[in-house]
Every structure is written in structure tokens, then in C-alpha cells.
Amino acid sequence: MSAREKAIELLSDVPDYKMGYVLAYLQGITADEEADDAFCEKMWEDYKNDPDPEKDEEYSLEECEKEWGLNDV
């Protein structure tokens, strides 16, 4: 039995007065996914539309460590 099928089966044992908790939890975990997707999509669109000509410049790990002073640790 899949996790989804087991969850559906268990719902029949949840008393009505607790169903609100189940619904709120399900709405919360699905809303987070939607918010995550929207946030990532906005970041991607912002990046693509950024007019900075240096946005695609690449730096090695060593260059970043040196610039940020992390190689002295």
C-alpha cells in the first residue's frame, strides 16, 4: 500500500473534531511548496532580466576564498 493510500485510509479514523487539524496541516505543507516554487521562479526571472553585464562571469572557489579572506582560516 502506498503512503497516499495509507493516509487516505487513516482519514476515516480521524474524528470530525480533529479533521480541522489535518486540513490545516495539509494546506500548510502544500502552500509551502507553492510559495517555494513562486520564489524560485521570481529569482530566476530576476536573474535573466538583470542588465548587469558581469552577471554571468564565473569565479573559481580559490578566487572566492581569497577575496573573502577564507583561505587564512
Side-chain angles (χ1 to χ4, degrees):
M1 177 181 299
S2 74
R4 182 181 300 271
E5 291 168 332
K6 183 66 176 169
I8 291 169
E9 182 180 288
L10 288 171
L11 280 175
S12 63
D13 295 333
V14 176
D16 286 341
Y17 73 95
K18 290 185 178 180
M19 195 57 76
Y21 300 124
V22 173
L23 181 58
Y25 178 76
L26 290 172
Q27 286 174 329
I29 61 174
T30 57
D32 288 345
E33 290 296 321
E34 291 170 11
D36 260 0
D37 290 346
F39 176 76
C40 291
E41 184 65 30
K42 173 136 179 37
M43 285 183 61
W44 173 239
E45 290 301 322
D46 289 349
Y47 173 77
K48 290 192 303 187
N49 296 324
D50 186 350
D52 184 355
E54 297 179 11
K55 73 177 181 185
D56 292 322
E57 192 156 333
E58 296 180 9
Y59 302 92
S60 70
L61 178 59
E62 291 77 19
E63 290 173 307
C64 293
E65 288 174 336
K66 184 177 180 181
E67 182 176 331
W68 300 334
L70 298 175
N71 57 346
D72 299 332
V73 179

